[in-house]
Amino acid sequence: MKYEVPDLVIERKCTTGELANNLGKKWKPFERELIRMSKFKHAYIICEFPIDYLDVFPDKSGIPKNKLSSVRMNSGFLKKRLFESCSKYNIKCLFFNNSQDAQKHVVEIINSHVKN
């Protein structure tokens, strides 16, 4: 049996550090990815961390302690760029407590869009 999900795209982010890197240093390639995602009827960014972690960034970011002093982004900019980008490109951003919760929800999303 073959399954197709032609109108669905999912981008996963493990940590706020990864997200910040995409929204900062790697912004241009990430924006191209957002543009590509916007062409899908259903586009999601799945964050494997609670939304509260945005407020305390760079704490709980997964960035090694010896690299924290080089972080130039604050939580306000991180949230602003993320939510403005999701709105601009019509992408849903979902937050979960951990990777297991995120994975369960991704399976539900895929199952709800599968076409036999």
Side-chain angles (χ1 to χ4, degrees):
M1 186 177 292
K2 180 182 175 191
Y3 296 102
E4 293 184 25
V5 190
D7 59 349
L8 172 68
V9 64
I10 297 172
E11 175 76 17
R12 178 182 62 99
K13 298 297 165 202
C14 295
T15 65
T16 56
E18 178 186 3
L19 181 63
N21 198 33
N22 288 143
L23 296 172
K25 230 183 245 190
K26 296 182 177 181
W27 171 243
K28 288 296 179 189
F30 187 63
E31 186 178 37
R32 286 192 297 272
E33 180 65 18
L34 296 175
I35 292 167
R36 186 186 73 76
M37 290 174 70
S38 73
K39 294 173 178 30
F40 287 78
K41 185 176 179 182
H42 304 283
Y44 296 88
I45 294 176
I46 300 294
C47 298
E48 297 181 344
F49 51 86
I51 194 169
D52 308 9
Y53 283 23
L54 298 178
D55 292 326
V56 298
F57 180 81
D59 290 344
K60 300 182 181 184
S61 66
I63 299 171
K65 287 183 182 182
N66 64 340
K67 304 277 187 192
L68 287 176
S69 63
S70 64
V71 173
R72 300 289 176 245
M73 183 181 296
N74 63 33
S75 64
F77 180 84
L78 177 67
K79 291 189 299 188
K80 183 177 190 283
R81 182 164 267 186
L82 174 62
F83 296 129
E84 284 179 355
S85 299
C86 286
S87 177
K88 178 178 180 178
Y89 296 111
N90 196 30
I91 298 169
K92 296 175 190 85
C93 188
L94 304 176
F95 296 85
F96 298 92
N97 289 326
N98 53 52
S99 61
Q100 292 81 15
D101 288 347
Q103 185 176 9
K104 286 177 193 171
H105 197 79
V106 166
V107 169
E108 291 172 10
I109 291 170
I110 292 170
N111 286 339
S112 72
H113 291 86
V114 167
K115 296 178 181 173
N116 293 331

